[in-house]
Amino acid sequence: MARKKEPERVGINRTKIMSSAQALFLQKGTEQTKMEDIAAQAGICKATLYTYYPNKTAVLSDIALEGMKYLQQILTEKTDPRDSVHDNFIHLCRAMTQFREKFPVGFEMLLQNIGVEEAQLQADPALQETYDTGEQVNEQLIRVFTGAFPGQNRQQMVTILLQFWAEITGLILLAYNKESYIRKSCRQSRTEFLDDGFERLYQQLQAESVKS
């Protein structure tokens, strides 16, 4: 009789597989990465990999889910409705930077189109959990930033959040992709460039708040 995998070992192996897959996806791209590449990078046989993930899409789904859970965790730790809007906005920006650092593939996946239709969510438990966690993150951010936009309903707040989400993630991606150019032309480190950018985005947030 086959011995059941211990839960702790399962968790360790999944983490190793996701870490290995992320490294390959960044190096080769998701399309060019094969399941056997992931197995080799993780130091396991292909058959073992398939006991955890039936295909590459499932690996990507797990990366997106774990990334979203991590983002939710650090946002919970760093933002507080009792703090100023400025402090919470900067905490949000830095949390997003941490997210990009730890889950670079998951970070970019969240900027892509994902299934949100009921049939799609029901067919993919990981997608459903990712979607649910994302909605919980949105609720956290709405609670934090409602004070900056009094009188806005939930739908309007979600629109505002998505727009600022796009600007924050775009700035972070630029800072990582153009780090050498920023260092040479702006005489700034990536962190300095991002801190300046986050403050400028906050000024924009204030201007939008006044208009609303």
Side-chain angles (χ1 to χ4, degrees), residues 16 29 34 57 60 95 112-113 126 153 167 174 179 188 211:
K16 183 193 296 185
K34 299 178 180 179
T57 300
L60 284 164
Q112 301 169 8
N113 187 38
N153 61 35
E167 293 179 7
L174 179 69
E179 184 171 6
Q188 288 181 308
K211 285 193 294 184

Side-chain angles (χ1 to χ4, degrees), residues 53-70:
Y53 297 101
N55 50 49
K56 189 168 58 178
T57 300
V59 180
L60 284 164
S61 293
D62 225 9
I63 290 172
L65 174 57
E66 290 304 309
M68 185 60 80
K69 287 180 177 178
Y70 176 74

Side-chain angles (χ1 to χ4, degrees), residues 172-184:
I172 293 170
L173 284 175
L174 179 69
Y176 275 86
N177 293 339
K178 295 288 188 179
E179 184 171 6
S180 297
Y181 183 82
I182 289 167
R183 189 181 302 111
K184 178 180 179 180

Side-chain angles (χ1 to χ4, degrees), residues 177-212:
N177 293 339
K178 295 288 188 179
E179 184 171 6
S180 297
Y181 183 82
I182 289 167
R183 189 181 302 111
K184 178 180 179 180
S185 299
C186 304
R187 298 290 190 268
Q188 288 181 308
S189 67
R190 183 178 67 213
T191 299
E192 290 169 335
F193 177 81
L194 283 172
D195 284 345
D196 279 354
F198 295 154
E199 289 293 343
R200 290 178 189 275
L201 286 179
Y202 175 72
Q203 296 303 319
Q204 183 180 338
L205 174 68
Q206 277 193 312
E208 291 292 329
S209 176
V210 170
K211 285 193 294 184
S212 67

